Amino acid sequence: MKFYLVDAFNDEVFKGNPAAVYVLTKWPSATTMQKIALEHHLSETAFTVKNGDHYDLRWFTPEQEIDLCGHASLATAYVLFNYYEPDATELHFQTQKGPLAATRQGDQYGLDFPSLMPEPIENEPTFAAAMGAKPTAAYLARDLFLVYDDAETVRHMQPDLAKVKALQNGLGVIVTAPDTTFDFVSRAFYPKLQVDEDPVTGSAHSNLIPYWAQRLHKRQLHAQQASARVGVLDCEWHDDRVTMSGRAVLFATGENTLDV
């Protein structure tokens, strides 16, 4: 089984978010895909199979299958556009979250994702204790979504990951704040999925884009995910959908010994 290792949402290797991508002719078992993801031990491994005029797409963390992942979708689009569909400018995917689309304009790859505005919740003291800084507001969708006033607080945050993992709210924790260079910055932590910090999280931007678009009264946004690897995203809010665009770069290709 051939795989590709792609760094997504940056144009330099060792930056952005790495994902493993498998383009297959048929599905392995879910158990096999989970074991492959654990073996790679990246935040996500993507598996895709062509199905008529679209590709079915699934994502696995080292811990479990998840229903939405942006950077591994962008990595998959990069692989398909460059190695399987060189004449295409648009690709369509079917996922657990429904249909998604990817576009290519030069070296920029765009993703069409659902807009998922998080709902406000009580700002519990456990959030500040886990993150090391008290948020000004708390929200919840799939992930806990914490808002801060200062981008430097987000950039320099050192959460207590054991406490983050113990939080009852959400699969992961997204922290975000306004910025002066970018419209907003964010970071994302998923210790429940064996991913202490996800370098660049496209699924988080399904929450971040509608939140900041409404707060800043603008539909086009420039964002930075301020992890150590750094990711940069151009974003746009379309009410019930969002688009996020970025670059990607191939780090390596390889082949495992499995035969499905």
Side-chain angles (χ1 to χ4, degrees):
M1 297 171 65
K2 184 173 183 179
F3 61 85
Y4 303 79
L5 298 180
V6 178
D7 291 335
F9 290 117
N10 213 305
D11 57 1
E12 298 180 46
V13 294
F14 309 125
K15 293 188 177 180
N17 201 352
V21 178
Y22 285 80
V23 182
L24 305 171
T25 58
K26 61 180 180 179
W27 289 109
S29 69
T31 299
T32 297
M33 289 188 284
Q34 186 62 71
K35 288 179 178 178
I36 291 171
L38 180 59
E39 192 75 8
H40 283 296
H41 211 81
L42 299 170
S43 54
E44 273 84 18
T45 297
F47 300 87
T48 189
V49 174
K50 192 165 189 179
N51 185 358
D53 60 355
H54 69 272
Y55 287 85
D56 294 328
L57 179 60
R58 297 169 71 178
W59 311 278
F60 288 77
T61 75
E63 183 70 22
Q64 66 185 59
E65 185 173 8
I66 57 171
D67 63 358
L68 189 64
C69 177
H71 85 278
S73 299
L74 190 139
T76 302
Y78 171 90
V79 169
L80 292 174
F81 278 129
N82 285 281
Y83 301 104
Y84 294 85
E85 306 272 2
D87 297 324
T89 57
E90 186 170 357
L91 296 169
H92 295 273
F93 299 102
Q94 187 63 42
T95 76
Q96 287 188 32
K97 278 293 187 182
L100 308 176
T103 58
R104 171 173 58 180
Q105 292 185 330
D107 62 354
Q108 191 90 351
Y109 301 88
L111 299 175
D112 172 77
F113 266 42
S115 176
L116 304 170
M117 183 68 181
E119 297 293 331
I121 62 171
E122 182 182 352
N123 190 353
E124 299 178 10
T126 53
F127 304 158
M131 307 315 295
K134 184 179 179 179
T136 57
Y139 298 79
L140 183 66
R142 182 191 72 179
D143 303 323
L144 182 61
F145 185 102
L146 304 178
V147 181
Y148 293 83
D149 288 335
D150 183 12
E152 293 309 303
T153 299
V154 169
R155 287 192 170 101
H156 298 294
M157 184 173 287
Q158 295 183 322
D160 183 324
L161 293 171
K163 291 181 179 178
V164 173
K165 189 174 183 178
L167 289 173
Q168 298 300 305
N169 306 82
L171 186 64
V173 179
I174 303 163
V175 295
T176 187
D179 190 40
T180 53
T181 302
F182 299 89
D183 289 302
F184 64 89
V185 300
S186 67
R187 290 172 68 189
F189 305 90
Y190 295 91
K192 293 176 184 176
L193 299 177
Q194 298 188 39
V195 179
D196 289 346
E197 179 169 6
D198 194 35
V200 193
T201 316
S203 60
H205 285 77
S206 282
N207 300 154
L208 289 159
I209 293 168
Y211 174 84
W212 286 109
Q214 293 177 62
R215 176 167 164 175
L216 299 177
H217 305 290
K218 58 191 301 188
R219 288 185 175 267
Q220 294 183 324
L221 302 156
H222 192 45
Q224 181 193 64
Q225 190 152 338
S227 67
R229 292 179 62 105
V230 185
V232 177
L233 303 89
D234 292 308
C235 310
E236 189 166 359
W237 183 48
H238 306 284
D239 296 325
D240 63 337
R241 305 292 293 181
V242 299
T243 57
M244 58 193 85
S245 301
R247 293 179 170 84
V249 60
L250 181 70
F251 172 65
T253 61
E255 192 165 348
N256 67 36
T257 59
L258 301 178
D259 183 9
V260 298

